[in-house]
Amino acid sequence: MTTTHAIRFDQHGGPEVLQWREQELADPGPGQVLLRQEAIGLNFIDVYHRTGLYPQPLPGSLGGEAAGVIEAVGPGVEGFAVGDRVGYCTGAPGAYAQRRIVPVAPLIKLPDDIAFEVAAASLLKGLTAYYLLHRTRALKAGDVALFHAAAGGVGLIAGQMARALGATLIGTAGSVAKCALALENGYAHAIDYVQDDFVARVKDLTAGRGVPVVYDSIGRDTWERSLACLQPFGLMVSFGNASGAVPPIKLTDLAAAGSLYVTRPTLGTHMADPVVKQQMADALFALIRSGQVKIHINQRYPLAEAAQAHRDLEARKTIGSTVLLP
């Protein structure tokens, strides 16, 4: 048995439901490893699990992204050994812990030159940006797209990836400072949605045509206006609900707006194939290694203070990536 501490909650609700608790871990079972976690990624999906928007059994745990070192392996484990540096960004919640038992299926081996904090801050966000720009709607040189939350963790990586591809991203963000940060990270244009009508600005920037694709993680507050930014046959990529769930869709509205397409992709689906998962991770690591993508870790919190990290995240006080340190 191994003694550790983790964040747990007995009911859904606000950040105050999160509690720092001691717990005992059994030895890893078949196909599992014991992982000592060095850094944990904070992501908006953690809020969805805490509030119950994405329900899970109670008592619950949080977190789907972390990086650390394998301390023990269970029976039948192949390809991983004690001492390996690994990370993960898919699988069951539970990353908010000093140590945890995890299956080997979601694990990704980390190169020695990728720091634990960088991995924890970039695997979920970086691989999300990768599947959005390379697989959901593969951008190429000369393409134009709208990307909401440009100064967020995914947004900052997406801007840099788009620049590396030669594509033009129009970003939105919630302040002048966040817009400036987006421009520093690959965006050709940045719109302060608090001060400006982003639909009108997008139309101005595209000579009235609109864009062929919108990447939207905001959800309810931007849904209808995002659709209005699309040109005929455009694709609406809804990949998050930061402001709340998207309202029910009327297919006739998509027809009237110009035969639009809508998709709701997930990282888990794109990484279900182990070969594709490793290819995506290797591509991300190569971009980080080359300097084409820089990971901005602008907030660090002790894991025991996860509740405060959630408050700041929901208040949109965070910029770029945030890590929790056990």
Side-chain angles (χ1 to χ4, degrees):
M1 299 290 288
T2 299
T3 300
T4 190
H5 283 81
I7 294 290
R8 304 282 288 175
F9 59 101
D10 296 321
Q11 61 184 12
H12 295 116
E16 68 279 358
V17 303
L18 301 182
Q19 299 178 15
W20 181 242
R21 293 180 180 169
E22 184 176 283
Q23 63 181 41
E24 297 290 333
L25 297 178
D27 293 336
Q32 297 178 328
V33 302
L34 171 63
L35 184 62
R36 184 185 76 245
Q37 305 201 128
E38 299 292 342
I40 298 152
L42 177 71
N43 298 286
F44 222 98
I45 193 172
D46 304 344
V47 173
Y48 302 156
H49 285 139
R50 191 202 74 223
T51 62
L53 179 63
Y54 293 174
Q56 62 167 317
L58 296 175
S61 55
L62 295 178
E65 178 183 36
V69 178
I70 294 175
E71 291 191 323
V73 299
V77 169
E78 296 181 357
F80 294 93
V82 172
D84 281 352
R85 305 172 74 254
V86 297
Y88 61 89
C89 61
T90 57
Y96 284 24
Q98 294 172 322
R99 287 174 170 82
R100 70 178 297 207
I101 302 294
V102 294
V104 297
L107 294 182
I108 296 167
K109 285 193 176 182
L110 300 181
D112 290 339
D113 58 354
I114 301 296
F116 291 120
E117 286 193 15
V118 170
S122 67
L123 282 175
L124 183 68
K125 301 170 189 68
L127 292 173
T128 296
Y130 187 88
Y131 87 71
L132 290 171
L133 272 59
H134 288 263
R135 293 169 58 85
T136 303
R137 172 63 160 79
L139 298 184
K140 59 183 184 301
D143 283 348
V144 180
L146 175 64
F147 204 105
H148 288 299
V154 176
L156 291 179
I157 296 173
Q160 297 174 77
M161 281 189 181
R163 179 170 57 192
L165 290 167
T168 297
L169 275 195
I170 302 170
T172 70
S175 70
V176 172
K178 288 185 176 182
C179 285
L181 183 61
L183 293 173
E184 294 171 3
N185 284 272
Y187 287 84
H189 310 279
I191 303 166
D192 181 350
Y193 63 76
V194 175
Q195 303 293 332
D196 296 324
D197 178 349
F198 71 77
V199 178
R201 290 281 289 121
V202 167
K203 292 298 179 68
D204 287 344
L205 291 168
T206 60
R209 293 186 300 272
V211 293
V213 58
V214 175
Y215 299 100
D216 190 337
S217 61
I218 304 300
R220 181 182 58 206
D221 289 354
T222 52
W223 174 256
E224 292 186 1
R225 289 179 294 162
S226 289
L227 290 176
C229 292
L230 286 167
Q231 60 187 225
F233 307 109
L235 173 64
M236 175 69 166
V237 182
S238 176
F239 68 101
N241 313 283
S243 66
V246 170
I249 302 169
K250 291 174 60 179
L251 295 182
T252 51
D253 289 345
L254 301 180
S259 301
L260 303 181
Y261 296 87
V262 173
T263 185
R264 182 56 169 91
T266 68
L267 177 60
T269 307
H270 281 274
M271 293 182 62
D273 183 326
V275 174
V276 173
K277 176 186 69 175
Q278 193 60 54
Q279 289 173 343
M280 290 172 60
D282 290 344
L284 174 63
F285 295 148
L287 286 167
I288 294 171
R289 187 178 295 114
S290 71
Q292 290 178 295
V293 169
K294 293 181 172 61
I295 306 303
H296 298 278
I297 305 173
N298 293 314
Q299 297 82 211
R300 294 172 173 83
Y301 299 82
L303 177 58
E305 297 176 12
Q308 185 59 50
H310 275 230
R311 292 186 188 97
D312 292 346
L313 179 65
E314 290 182 275
R316 301 188 184 180
K317 293 181 179 179
T318 63
I319 296 175
S321 297
T322 301
V323 294
L324 307 174
L325 302 176

